[in-house]
């Protein structure tokens, strides 16, 4: 099955799985490490992929949250994410997908404009997070946020669902972009 | 030779019968003696020469050692200054090592110098010591060679390859004959040139050449260094600016080493050892390391052995493929160190899009692409595993050590 669907598998007991998609393997691994260091009542699993579609012969748990990591220094990573998005079912975008842009701190190295990623996130109606994954402090904070988001998306937080979270996270700035 | 006594060489035009000192030609005497080039007959002195002579005479009396050892041989001011500047370049931490390698000042002499004082005073003491021991320009040049050997990465080295005519007999190489032949060729062409040699291991010789012109003394502060490996047709040249003498240098090298032709390779770097490794094909030696016992898979994924089992790599197969391809191309060994790869493109513009303006040009599009890095080949090696480029990399990048080039000209076939 080349398209990821959110509800095609049964959830594991007390398990929450996140899928990080991006070309920068080192950064993804570091982020995964930071996330697993967090204290969390649920069992966390982190899957790292360079791109979608995922190899189909593997037995994997249900994926609760997908984070697409775009490195603003590299056009290649943006293109990779754009192509991978085609392999995600539309129902995933109801709060179970998020975009993460890294490398904004080094302005001189950025070849992808900030607005490009903003537009991309807006097109897919998903939240966009900025974080310099190379800086340990920022990475830890982001890991905490992602763990919290993951718990909500996996349904482990009573009273809050992924869709609730999405409407909370929707940004009210830039009303001009809403017209797109 | 001592100066013979003379009365004032400027007798004011009268034709007195003065004792004419023997005209002392510098080249006839031992290099170490300080000699005043005052060969004179009173009548032919012009005002200018008188002035110059007066200056030289005053130099004699004012130089510091002159006061202490009157009339004895002493070091030329320029040589002393050259010593001072060369020793000043050496960092204090390396001072002992370099001086020991130079082997001109013995242990006893070095012990008389206080190495803990400020650098300027230390240098002054060392220069005085050299003067006392009557060090010559050649000794100073040798010290300069040793300093450069310790700091070879401060210069940019070019690689030259020599060739013989096909079928020519290769005689046994005689180092002394090479050196004397090399020196003779240069001295015949340019009267003012300082050539110094230092032998090193692997049948190599370091040559230092300070160039002058027909009318000017050699400039000791802009020398050219050549490292020639006698059992090979390769020579490495580091020149500081003066490019006009390179043809002469090439000629001298070729003739002295009994070759026929010399060609400059498109290979340039600061790291002489890396250039050597590339040119002599010594870089692909696989050394046994401690890590060779870890299984390939774990090593290839760049993971800690205590990797968290909660992290799952979805593209494991692809990653292994990339690692395998990278290893096939680059090998396991440390790459030789280069800083640049430059590609000069002279190709016609090719475009997938329909007929843009550039696509209709008949002339080749000139474009220069330069890759620079503190360690270019290691950086290229890590591109695919880091996800920045696809594996396998373009052969234009991976052929650099094999072809021994890092400056390319690309034309349409």
């Amino acid at each position: 099955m080349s398209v990821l669907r959110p509800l095609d598998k049964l959830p594991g007991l007390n398990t929450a799985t996140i899928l990080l998609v991006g070309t920068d393997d080192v950064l993804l691994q570091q982020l995964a490490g930071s996330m697993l260091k967090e204290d969390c009542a649920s069992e966390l699993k982190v899957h790292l992929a360079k791109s979608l579609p995922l190899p189909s012969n593997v037995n994997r748990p249900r994926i609760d949250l997908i984070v697409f990591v775009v490195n603003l220094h590299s056009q290649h990573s943006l293109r990779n994410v754009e192509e991978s998005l085609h392999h995600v079912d539309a129902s995933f975008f109801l709060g179970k997908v998020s975009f993460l842009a890294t490398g904004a701190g080094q302005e001189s190295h950025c070849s992808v404009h900030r607005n490009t990623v903003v537009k991309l996130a807006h097109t897919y109606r998903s939240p966009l997070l900025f974080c310099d994954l190379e800086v340990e402090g920022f990475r830890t904070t982001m890991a905490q946020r992602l763990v919290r988001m993951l718990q909500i998306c996996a349904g482990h937080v009573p009273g809050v669902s992924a869709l609730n979270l999405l409407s909370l996270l929707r940004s009210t700035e830039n009303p001009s972009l809403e017209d797109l | 030779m001592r100066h013979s006594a003379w009365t004032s060489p400027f007798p004011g035009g009268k034709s007195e019968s003065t004792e004419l000192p023997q005209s002392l030609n510098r080249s006839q005497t031992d290099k170490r003696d300080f000699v005043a080039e005052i060969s004179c007959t009173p009548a032919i002195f012009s005002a200018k020469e008188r002035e110059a002579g007066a200056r030289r005479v005053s130099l004699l009396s004012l130089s510091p050692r002159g006061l202490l050892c009157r009339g004895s041989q002493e070091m030329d001011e320029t040589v002393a200054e050259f010593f001072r500047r060369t020793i000043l370049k050496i960092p204090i931490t390396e001072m002992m090592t370099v001086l020991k390698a130079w082997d001109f000042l013995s242990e006893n002499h070095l012990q008389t110098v206080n190495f803990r004082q400020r650098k300027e005073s230390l240098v002054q003491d060392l220069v005085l010591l050299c003067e006392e021991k009557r060090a010559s320009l050649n000794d100073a040049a040798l010290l300069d060679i040793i300093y450069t050997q310790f700091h070879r990465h401060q210069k940019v080295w070019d690689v030259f390859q020599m060739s013989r005519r096909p079928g020519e007999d290769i005689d046994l190489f005689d180092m002394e004959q090479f050196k004397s032949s090399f020196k003779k060729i240069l001295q015949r062409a340019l009267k003012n040139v300082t050539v110094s040699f230092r032998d090193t291991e692997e049948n190599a010789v370091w040559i230092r050449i300070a160039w002058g012109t027909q009318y000017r003394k050699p400039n000791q502060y802009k020398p050219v260094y050549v490292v020639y490996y006698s059992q090979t047709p390769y020579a490495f040249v580091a020149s500081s600016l003066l490019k006009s003498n390179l043809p002469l240098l090439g000629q001298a090298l070729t003739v002295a080493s009994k070759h026929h032709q010399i060609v400059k390779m498109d290979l340039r770097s600061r790291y002489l050892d890396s250039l050597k490794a590339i040119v002599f094909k010594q870089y692909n030696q696989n050394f046994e390391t401690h890590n060779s016992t870890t299984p390939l898979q774990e090593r290839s994924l760049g993971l800690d052995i205590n990797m968290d089992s909660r992290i799952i790599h979805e593209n494991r197969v692809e990653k292994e493929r990339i690692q395998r391809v990278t290893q096939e191309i680059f090998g396991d060994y440390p790459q030789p160190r280069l800083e640049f790869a430059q590609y000069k493109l002279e190709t016609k513009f090719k475009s997938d899009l329909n007929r843009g303006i550039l696509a209709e040009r008949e002339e080749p599009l000139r474009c220069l692409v330069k890759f620079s890095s503190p360690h270019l080949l290691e950086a290229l090696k890590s591109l695919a595993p880091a996800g920045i480029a696809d594996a396998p990399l373009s052969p234009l990048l991976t052929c650099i050590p094999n072809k021994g080039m890092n400056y390319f000209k690309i034309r349409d076939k």
Side-chain angles (χ1 to χ4, degrees), chain A residues 55-102:
Chain A
S56 51
N57 51 352
V58 178
N59 196 13
R60 70 175 65 84
R62 183 184 78 166
I63 294 178
D64 298 306
L65 174 62
I66 307 180
V67 179
F68 289 96
V69 179
V70 176
N71 191 342
L72 292 179
H73 299 178
S74 149
Q75 285 277 358
H76 174 58
S77 82
L78 177 67
R79 263 201 307 271
N80 179 57
V81 161
E82 282 171 353
E83 277 163 20
S84 304
L85 281 164
H86 300 153
H87 297 272
V88 181
D89 187 53
S91 46
F92 240 116
F93 293 98
L94 295 171
K96 296 200 172 184
V97 170
S98 171
F99 292 89
L100 178 62
T102 179

Side-chain angles (χ1 to χ4, degrees), chain A residues 19 23-26 29 32-33 36-37 44-51 53-55 58 60 63 76, chain B residues 301-304 307-319 322 384-390:
Chain A
L19 175 66
T23 48
D24 261 301
D25 200 51
V26 176
Q29 252 188 268
L36 291 171
K37 282 200 198 110
L44 294 182
K45 280 219 174 74
V46 184
H47 284 238
L48 305 177
K50 181 165 174 258
S51 62
L54 298 175
V58 178
R60 70 175 65 84
I63 294 178
H76 174 58
Chain B
L301 292 174
L303 302 170
D304 210 349
M307 191 210 42
D308 203 319
S309 60
R310 294 175 289 173
I311 302 179
I312 293 127
H313 289 260
E314 291 287 343
N315 300 107
R316 193 174 260 252
V317 173
E318 175 66 10
K319 283 178 73 145
I322 289 178
I388 301 173
D390 287 327

Side-chain angles (χ1 to χ4, degrees), chain B residues 267 273-283 336 338 400-401 404:
Chain B
L267 185 60
D273 298 318
S274 296
L275 289 175
K276 254 177 58 188
I278 291 175
V279 155
F280 300 148
K281 306 258 182 258
Q282 287 169 341
Y283 55 89
L338 298 171
I400 291 171

